[in-house]
Amino acid sequence: MVIFSTFFSVIIGLPLGILVVITEKNGIWEKPKLNWILETIINVSRSFPFIILMILVFPLSRIIVGSTIGTTASIVPLSVAASPFVARIIENSIKEVDKGVIESVISMGAKPIDIILKVLIPEAMPSIVLGITLTMINLVGFSAMAGAIGGGGLGDLAIRYGFYRFQTDIMMSSVILIIIIVQSIQFIGNKLSKAVNKN
Amino acid sequence: MISINNVYKFYENNDKKFKALDDINLEIKENEIFGVIGLSGAGKSTLIRTINRLEEPTKGHININGENILNFNKKELRGLRKNIGMIFQSFNLLNSKTVFENIAFPLRLQKLDKEYIEKRVNELLDLVNLKDKKNTYPSQLSGGQKQRVAIARALANNPNILLCDEATSSLDPKTTKKILTLLKDIQKKLDLTIVLITHEMEVIKEICNRVAIMENGKIIELDTVTEVFTNPKTETSKSFINKSNKDLNYIKLSNLEKRKVYKLKFIGEVSKEPVISEIIKKFNIYVNILSGNIDELMSNSVGTLIVEFLGDEDDINKAKNWIKDKNIRLELIKN
């Protein structure tokens, strides 16, 4: 559930984040109107509390996966919720790329698409990897919440058996499992980020 | 080769117009090393960036090889930029790529074939003497090595023009010298036209043929380096030159009004002749040397002596005339 939603939110969020940076004032592909539209979409969709967003996305889930309950169905709201978050994270990572480096590449006659694919993304990679790790961890939390409205997964287990049936041991073990998952995601993310960092 | 005519650049900041470039006129010749010197904020960085349009002038004309580059569309501009290499103060290498990949970058942008890229990058590594660093990442290199990689990268497309934006300003004096020597060598080898900006007179002295001095967006002095060194016309150029030969500033003289203290400037061959001994012998006066210095310029050497003449007034005047005939500049020091 988390892996798939991370995957889809990166697919949507990465181009969105890059577009926001390059269409900005003094960006490499300045488009103020498009930039305003993107900013608004990201901000509005980030303002929704996740639990509300999940319910709002039910029709979309029904169209895409044909159901609103269960693990597969909750991938839709999770991806929708995480995409603007990923976009912001990617935006920040891309903005960290040295302006001088971009200028030097422009001075070689690079096209905007070359700058994005060969400079912005590779140079920001260590930071992007950490950002995606953060997204995954957030998604673990969100997915536990998705469990509350029939999304399945560990959260479902914790709330249904642990909370409603007062089976504290099940609740505790689900929580411990979640902690272990979060820890391992962070550990792997850090390792990966280090591996791609050449500084 | 590069002619810049009536170029202006305005920035608007809170309704206040700021003139970064104020009526710039420049003619840069083929195969010369042209320097622009000025303090920070003088506009030199904006000026060098207009040559490859990293900075768009507000108005004016810039012609390179007879073509007005301000009329170029995006595609033509990219073509132009491939013909102009540029290096920077902060090197601006791609940290995620090896030395080899950094140098190969401009070639890969043009999708040239692999074998050619391999061959060309190796040539360039040879040129800047960095063969052994081929597979290292920029973070493991020293400042001087990074700038050498940047030079190789800038030369990858065989440009005829190389722009240097404060290329040595973040390097120590010894490394600066090495980089300047390298630039001088490749200029000769590859028949490059180099335009460089700096705030250090040492750099100008070392490699430039001509120099423009900038202040408040204007060029206030433009001449050969020898001429500017021997006969600076503005206060700014004087202060740049004095900064580069500090010892002359340190001599403090008392009672200057009553004494005959002169600054003598020898240019070229005459700086190697025993002029002072001749004066003493011929005119029977005493010459007290207070300070001396020789500046080795790119094309010439300029000697500076500060001397005091003691003796008979007539003899001193005769000596002064003889000095002038020798083509040595003579200037009375007043304060």
Side-chain angles (χ1 to χ4, degrees), chain B residues 55-74:
Chain B
E55 197 81 64
E56 297 285 351
T58 312
K59 57 181 181 184
H61 302 277
I62 300 175
N63 286 294
I64 297 180
N65 293 326
E67 284 185 285
N68 185 354
I69 62 156
L70 299 182
N71 290 337
F72 279 9
N73 63 28
K74 277 184 183 165

Side-chain angles (χ1 to χ4, degrees), chain B residues 5-270:
Chain B
N5 297 309
N6 307 101
V7 163
Y8 291 84
K9 172 83 188 183
F10 303 128
Y11 287 112
E12 252 173 89
N13 223 340
N14 304 330
D15 294 327
K16 266 189 188 166
K17 252 191 188 174
F18 171 70
K19 278 185 188 173
L21 296 178
D22 190 355
D23 198 13
I24 299 289
N25 288 285
L26 256 187
E27 198 75 41
I28 296 165
K29 297 174 202 150
E30 203 157 345
N31 296 337
E32 79 170 328
I33 304 186
F34 189 92
V36 178
I37 190 168
L39 298 169
S40 49
K44 54 193 193 306
S45 199
T46 312
L47 175 62
I48 200 169
R49 279 174 169 66
T50 59
I51 298 174
N52 60 359
R53 280 179 58 190
L54 284 178
E55 197 81 64
E56 297 285 351
T58 312
K59 57 181 181 184
H61 302 277
I62 300 175
N63 286 294
I64 297 180
N65 293 326
E67 284 185 285
N68 185 354
I69 62 156
L70 299 182
N71 290 337
F72 279 9
N73 63 28
K74 277 184 183 165
K75 203 179 155 202
E76 288 168 323
L77 183 58
R78 282 200 292 268
L80 170 82
R81 284 174 176 164
K82 278 169 196 159
N83 264 317
I84 303 180
M86 188 166 188
I87 55 172
F88 303 84
Q89 177 173 7
S90 47
F91 323 121
N92 295 344
L93 300 176
L94 297 150
N95 286 322
S96 57
K97 292 182 168 62
T98 60
V99 168
F100 182 93
E101 281 305 320
N102 263 288
I103 301 174
F105 193 86
L107 303 169
R108 294 218 196 280
L109 282 180
Q110 294 178 69
K111 306 198 168 59
L112 298 169
D113 73 74
K114 269 190 183 159
E115 265 170 57
Y116 172 78
I117 293 179
E118 177 87 31
K119 199 181 119 230
R120 179 77 186 131
V121 175
N122 283 326
E123 266 170 37
L124 290 158
L125 281 167
D126 245 356
L127 183 73
V128 297
N129 209 358
L130 274 178
K131 267 229 148 110
D132 51 325
K133 300 287 179 193
K134 194 172 167 177
N135 295 316
T136 41
Y137 285 92
S139 58
Q140 289 154 282
L141 301 177
S142 69
Q145 289 169 331
K146 281 184 195 168
Q147 198 57 292
R148 267 148 62 194
V149 176
I151 291 171
R153 182 176 71 169
L155 296 174
N157 279 322
N158 291 309
N160 351 83
I161 301 170
L162 180 66
L163 307 175
C164 309
D165 178 9
E166 297 268 10
T168 55
S169 301
S170 56
L171 303 172
D172 59 71
K174 214 174 150 192
T175 318
T176 296
K177 252 204 169 132
K178 278 190 192 161
I179 293 289
L180 293 178
T181 312
L182 174 66
L183 285 175
K184 232 192 296 189
D185 286 348
I186 56 171
Q187 190 273 334
K188 273 198 203 111
K189 234 185 254 177
L190 310 172
D191 287 331
L192 284 173
T193 305
I194 298 184
V195 184
L196 65 86
I197 62 165
T198 181
H199 59 264
E200 295 166 318
M201 206 60 195
E202 294 300 319
V203 173
I204 301 285
K205 226 162 87 175
E206 198 78 27
I207 67 168
C208 291
N209 305 108
R210 290 195 303 148
V211 60
I213 294 151
M214 275 191 88
E215 199 175 55
N216 298 328
K218 286 192 174 95
I219 291 179
I220 54 169
E221 206 169 329
L222 195 163
D223 218 318
T224 60
V225 175
T226 319
E227 183 61 29
V228 170
F229 250 83
T230 48
N231 193 14
K233 292 184 183 66
T234 56
E235 282 309 310
T236 315
S237 57
K238 277 178 199 161
S239 86
F240 272 121
I241 289 160
N242 286 339
K243 227 185 273 169
S244 94
N245 32 16
K246 286 193 183 97
D247 33 329
L248 294 185
N249 282 338
Y250 288 133
I251 42 165
K252 290 223 167 73
L253 299 166
S254 53
N255 265 336
L256 208 51
E257 314 79 51
K258 290 175 193 155
R259 295 163 69 178
K260 292 191 167 62
V261 178
Y262 292 91
K263 185 191 264 180
L264 304 180
K265 291 239 178 188
F266 310 82
I267 307 160
E269 279 313 301
V270 72

